[in-house]
Amino acid sequence: MAFAKICKVDQENRQFKTDWTERYCFFLPDHNSAKPTCLICMQTVAVIKADNLKRHFNSIHAASFNANYPEKSDQRKQKIASMLTSYKHSVLTMCKTTSAQESATAASLHVSWKLARAKKPFADAELIKQCAIDMAAEVLNQEEPIKKEVVELLKQVPLSANTATRRVEVLAEECFSSLLTDLRKTEAFSLAIDSSCDRTDMEQLSVFARFFDGKSFREELLCFISLPGRTTREIIFNELTQFFERNGLDVSKIVSVVTDGAPSMVGHRQGLISRLSTVNPALLAFHCIIHKSVLCAKLCGKMKETMDTVTRLVNFVRESSSLQHRLFRPLLEEMSAEHKDLLLHNDIRWLSKGRVLERVCDLRDELVSFLSSLQSQKASDFLSFLTDNKVISDVTFLCDIMSHLNHLNLRLQGKNHTVADMYEAIEAFRSKLHLLERDIHGRKLHFPRLREHCEKNKMQEDPAMKDFVSRLAENFKEIFESSPKLSADILLFVRQPFSVSADGQWTAEAKKLVPSIDEAALQMEILEMGTSDLLKAQHKDALVSDFWINVVPQARFKNTRDIAMLLLTMFPSTYICESAFSSMNAIKSQDRNRLSDSHLGQCLRIATTEYKPDIRKVASSRRSHFSH
C-alpha cells in the first residue's frame, strides 16, 4: 500500500499577495515567523493560503463589512488604510515602551554591577539614583525641556535595594555560567583551596580555579561554600564533590591543588588531599609557597624574645590607654617625626613583623622621649629596653633581615604567578641568604641599620645573628627540597626551554605528569626548539605564558607545548584565596553582617571575576518593567 506524501508547509515558501488585503482584510506583519493577521479582529491563520483567508473573512466579517464598505470602493480602501495605520501606531508605541523598559533595566544592571565590583551595599543603588537625578537637574538647569525628560528617565530606572539584590543575582549567575562553559571545554585546571571565618564566625571555603580558556589563563572563583558546623576533611570533600556533580564538572580534570597546609587539607589520613587522591590518583598537591616561606622565617630563642618585647612596647603605647595614645601622636608632630604613629603587629599578616620593626627603629628617639615622661614601671622597663645598645642591635638586625624577607614576600604575592616564577624567586632568595651569611661578619652592606648602629656605638655584631641567618638558609633548604613535587629541570624548561637537555631525567617526569605525551617525540622537539633562532629571538621579549600560548606552534611542538601548558595551569600559592577573604571582610562588614551566605558568594564572584557579562543581552532576556 502506497503512503501519501506529507505536505510540509514550511518548505513550500508560500508568498503573501498584496491584493488579499483589500479583498479579505488580511495583512502580513513585518517580523520573523509572521502569520497572516485579520485587520478587523486581529486573529491569525496558520498557513499563508488564499482559501484560509477567504474562509475566515466570509464566515465572520463578509456580511457586515461588505455592506458598509462595498468591494473596490474608495470607502473600503480608506477604511483598510486607516486600520493598517492604527495597527502600526500601536506596534510602534509598544516597541518604544519595551525599548525604554529594557534601557532602564540595562541601566539598573550597570549600577548593580558597579556596586558589587566596589563591594558596596545593595541599598547604595537608591543613593546613586538620587545623585544622578540631582546631577542632571543641576547640569541641565538652563535646558528645562531636556532636563525634565532626563530626570523622568532616571526616575524610571529601578534601583531599590531589593531590585539591586536581584540584579546582582542575575549578573553573578551570568558570570558563573560563562565559567562553567569554559571549564567544561578546558582539558585541565588546578584548584586553590582555603577557608576562613567571616564577621559572624561562619567558616567559608573559598575555591578558585586556574585554567586556559583558549586565549589566556584565567583565575576565577569556582565556589564559595559555607560550612556551618565542623570543617573535617569528609565534610569539605563531600561539599566539593557535590558541587562538581551538580554542575557537571569532571574531577579527573584537576591536575593540582594548592592549600595552606592545614591538617584538614593535607593530613596523611584525615586531609582533603588524600581523599581527593582516591578519586583522582594523578592529582598533585602543593603547600602554598608563600606560607612555606613564612614558616621558614619563624623566630625562636633570643630573637623571638626581642620581637615579643617590641610587640609589647607597641601595644603599651597604642592600646593600653586611649589618653596615652592621644598624647603620643602630638609628640610625634612636635618633634617632626618621620611617621605619624606606630604600627600594630598581626601575626597573620605576612609583612607585619618587618613593618613594625622599621617603625620602631625610625621612632626610637621619640619613643625614648615619650617613655621618659611616663611614671609607670612598664614605661621604665621599656625605656631600659630602648636605651640598651646591645638589645637595639638585635632589633636593627631583625629589621634588616625582615626587610629582605618582606621583599621576597612581595615578589611572591599577586595574581597570575606561575609555579616556575615563584620557585625561581625562592631559589634566588636562597642564594641571597648565603651572601647575607658572609656579609654579616664583613662590611654589612645588606644590613644598613645594623651597620649604622654598630659604627655609632663602636660595637660588634652578636654571633647569634649569623646563626640565625644560617638557620634560615637551612630552613629554606629543608622545606623546599625535602619533598619536591617538580624537579628543577622541569621548572627550568617552562622558563628557559632552550637551556634543558633533551636526554635528561626530566622528560620521564614529564611523561608521568602528562601520560598522553610521547616522550621520544618530546626529546626530538626539544632539540628542534634549541636550533630555532626565530623562537629564541621571540622568547627574549615575551612573557612566559605569552611565549607558550602565542609563539610556540601547536602543530609543530605539540608535546612540549602540552607539558608547558599543564605546568602553567598550576596554582603556586593560595594568595588569590587570601585576597578573596579580604574582599569578603569588606563586603560582609560589621554594618552588613546579616548578608546571607548566597548573596555573599554572589557579591564576591562579581568583585573578583574577569568575566564581563553582556548587559544589553541580559536586559533583553529579562522581563522588563518600570519600578522604584
Side-chain angles (χ1 to χ4, degrees):
M1 180 178 178
F3 291 94
K5 292 184 178 180
I6 299 175
C7 178
K8 295 185 178 181
V9 175
D10 58 343
Q11 296 179 0
E12 293 183 359
N13 195 25
R14 299 187 180 186
Q15 300 294 322
F16 186 86
K17 296 182 180 179
T18 55
D19 63 323
W20 293 347
T21 301
E22 185 177 344
R23 291 168 60 187
Y24 310 122
C25 294
F26 270 85
F27 77 105
L28 190 67
D30 186 18
H31 59 80
N32 294 332
S33 303
K35 295 180 180 180
T37 304
C38 178
L39 282 169
I40 302 173
C41 64
M42 290 299 162
Q43 292 186 14
T44 62
V45 295
V47 182
I48 303 176
K49 192 175 179 182
D51 290 342
N52 293 1
L53 276 60
K54 182 178 180 180
R55 187 183 306 111
H56 174 88
F57 180 75
N58 288 339
S59 60
I60 300 176
H61 308 299
S64 60
F65 194 80
N66 287 337
N68 295 324
Y69 307 101
E71 291 187 19
K72 297 182 180 181
S73 65
D74 293 338
Q75 293 85 352
R76 187 186 185 99
K77 292 179 180 179
Q78 291 174 0
K79 179 61 177 178
I80 291 175
S82 174
M83 288 190 294
L84 273 173
T85 302
S86 177
Y87 171 81
K88 290 179 181 179
H89 178 73
S90 62
V91 168
L92 181 61
T93 302
M94 187 178 296
C95 288
K96 284 183 178 180
T97 303
T98 303
S99 178
Q101 290 171 340
E102 285 187 6
S103 296
T105 302
S108 175
L109 287 165
H110 274 294
V111 172
S112 301
W113 174 262
K114 294 293 185 184
L115 281 175
R117 292 287 288 179
K119 312 175 190 70
K120 297 298 182 182
F122 302 134
D124 284 2
E126 193 69 41
L127 175 63
I128 291 176
K129 176 178 178 178
Q130 190 58 51
C131 289
I133 292 172
D134 293 342
M135 285 190 293
E138 291 296 331
V139 171
L140 301 174
N141 190 33
Q142 304 300 323
E143 304 290 340
E144 192 63 32
I146 300 177
K147 168 186 169 181
K148 185 177 180 180
E149 182 180 355
V150 171
V151 168
E152 286 301 319
L153 288 173
L154 290 173
K155 286 181 178 179
Q156 291 176 348
V157 178
L159 281 176
S160 66
N162 290 335
T163 301
T165 304
R166 292 193 297 270
R167 299 289 186 253
V168 167
E169 292 172 355
V170 171
L171 292 167
E173 182 61 32
E174 188 73 12
C175 294
F176 183 55
S177 178
S178 300
L179 173 62
L180 289 180
T181 301
D182 287 342
L183 283 176
R184 289 166 186 157
K185 292 189 296 185
T186 192
E187 296 180 0
F189 58 91
S190 65
L191 300 180
I193 305 176
D194 201 356
S195 63
S196 181
C197 288
D198 62 19
R199 297 278 182 181
T200 58
D201 292 331
M202 175 67 73
E203 189 76 9
Q204 304 287 358
L205 183 71
S206 171
V207 183
F208 277 79
R210 178 178 169 89
F211 60 96
F212 181 63
D213 66 355
K215 296 180 180 178
S216 62
F217 287 96
R218 284 186 178 273
E219 294 180 358
E220 291 288 336
L221 177 64
L222 180 60
C223 58
F224 199 71
I225 302 173
S226 302
L227 304 173
R230 298 184 180 276
T231 56
T232 63
R233 64 135 186 190
E234 286 295 336
I235 292 175
I236 297 174
F237 174 77
N238 290 335
E239 290 286 348
L240 203 56
T241 51
Q242 288 173 15
F243 172 84
F244 271 71
E245 290 173 2
R246 285 196 307 269
N247 295 284
L249 298 176
D250 189 358
V251 180
S252 63
K253 286 186 176 182
I254 306 174
V255 295
S256 70
V257 176
V258 63
T259 66
D260 62 352
S264 62
M265 296 291 177
V266 298
H268 181 65
R269 295 182 178 178
Q270 301 297 324
L272 171 66
I273 301 301
S274 61
R275 196 73 175 83
L276 284 173
S277 297
T278 60
V279 181
N280 182 5
L283 182 72
L284 285 176
F286 293 97
H287 186 179
C288 169
I289 293 178
I290 300 179
H291 281 84
K292 288 169 72 174
S293 68
V294 173
L295 288 175
C296 292
K298 282 287 184 181
L299 299 176
C300 62
K302 182 181 179 181
M303 296 302 169
K304 184 178 186 302
E305 183 181 347
T306 301
M307 185 68 219
D308 290 343
T309 305
V310 170
T311 303
R312 289 196 299 271
L313 167 62
V314 173
N315 291 339
F316 171 74
V317 175
R318 283 202 52 166
E319 298 297 314
S320 62
S321 168
S322 299
L323 173 61
Q324 191 166 278
H325 189 205
R326 290 200 304 272
L327 294 175
F328 177 66
R329 285 181 294 182
L331 176 67
L332 295 180
E333 294 183 6
E334 182 182 337
M335 298 181 68
S336 301
E338 186 177 350
H339 306 288
K340 302 298 183 183
D341 205 349
L342 293 171
L343 294 177
L344 290 173
H345 170 58
N346 187 333
D347 204 33
I348 297 175
R349 295 175 183 169
W350 294 318
L351 307 178
S352 184
K353 288 187 178 72
R355 296 285 186 261
V356 170
L357 288 164
E358 287 177 4
R359 193 63 63 90
V360 169
C361 288
D362 292 338
L363 298 177
R364 181 190 175 194
D365 294 337
E366 289 81 1
L367 282 168
V368 168
S369 176
F370 179 71
L371 293 171
S372 300
S373 65
L374 302 179
Q375 303 300 320
S376 66
Q377 181 60 43
K378 278 189 176 182
S380 178
D381 293 339
F382 287 128
L383 181 61
S384 300
F385 174 81
L386 287 176
T387 54
D388 188 338
N389 288 331
K390 190 174 180 180
V391 172
I392 293 301
S393 67
D394 293 337
V395 175
T396 55
F397 165 75
L398 282 176
C399 185
D400 287 331
I401 195 67
M402 287 299 170
S403 68
H404 293 294
L405 288 166
N406 283 357
H407 180 74
L408 169 66
N409 209 291
L410 287 171
R411 186 175 174 185
L412 297 178
Q413 293 183 40
K415 294 180 64 175
N416 297 314
H417 282 319
T418 66
V419 175
D421 293 335
M422 296 188 74
Y423 271 104
E424 180 184 20
I426 292 295
E427 287 302 313
F429 186 74
R430 288 180 58 190
S431 300
K432 292 177 183 178
L433 285 175
H434 296 301
L435 174 63
L436 295 176
E437 192 175 0
R438 296 190 301 270
D439 182 60
I440 195 168
H441 277 325
R443 300 166 60 189
K444 300 182 184 61
L445 295 175
H446 304 284
F447 297 89
R449 293 179 186 272
L450 177 62
R451 183 181 71 246
E452 181 183 353
H453 178 75
C454 291
E455 290 176 353
K456 181 179 179 180
N457 297 282
K458 297 180 180 180
M459 58 185 298
Q460 296 293 323
E461 71 283 347
D462 192 330
M465 297 175 185
K466 183 178 180 181
D467 294 339
F468 179 85
V469 179
S470 300
R471 188 169 62 253
L472 188 61
E474 290 173 3
N475 289 344
F476 269 86
K477 180 179 180 180
E478 180 182 351
I479 290 180
F480 284 96
E481 289 187 355
S482 57
S483 55
K485 300 291 183 180
L486 300 170
S487 67
D489 284 340
I490 201 167
L491 292 172
L492 179 63
F493 159 73
V494 179
R495 292 181 281 108
Q496 298 290 339
F498 313 105
S499 302
V500 295
S501 172
D503 55 354
Q505 291 294 324
W506 74 271
T507 57
E509 182 185 354
K511 175 68 175 177
K512 292 179 181 179
L513 286 175
V514 189
S516 61
I517 68 171
D518 185 339
E519 186 178 355
L522 174 63
Q523 294 179 349
M524 291 296 184
E525 290 175 12
I526 290 296
L527 291 173
E528 187 175 351
M529 285 187 70
T531 60
S532 175
D533 293 333
L534 179 60
L535 287 178
K536 289 180 180 178
Q538 292 176 312
H539 181 266
K540 293 179 181 178
D541 301 325
L543 297 174
V544 174
S545 56
D546 291 340
F547 174 75
W548 289 106
I549 295 171
N550 302 318
V551 177
V552 179
Q554 169 71 22
R556 185 179 170 189
F557 300 102
K558 181 183 183 304
N559 294 282
T560 52
R561 195 173 184 275
D562 285 350
I563 188 64
M565 296 299 282
L566 180 75
L567 293 169
L568 292 173
T569 300
M570 296 178 179
F571 268 117
S573 74
T574 58
Y575 170 84
I576 194 168
C577 295
E578 301 290 347
S579 178
F581 290 137
S582 297
S583 298
M584 174 191 75
N585 291 330
I587 294 169
K588 194 169 184 177
S589 61
Q590 190 63 39
D591 297 330
R592 203 183 175 193
N593 55 25
R594 291 195 297 172
L595 188 69
S596 67
D597 293 330
S598 60
H599 287 145
L600 174 60
Q602 291 159 358
C603 291
L604 191 61
R605 183 178 301 283
I606 294 176
T608 59
T609 188
E610 294 179 0
Y611 287 105
K612 293 182 179 179
D614 187 339
I615 299 293
R616 272 289 172 184
K617 183 179 178 181
V618 175
S620 63
S621 65
R622 309 293 297 175
R623 179 182 294 176
S624 303
H625 58 84
F626 296 123
S627 179
H628 65 287

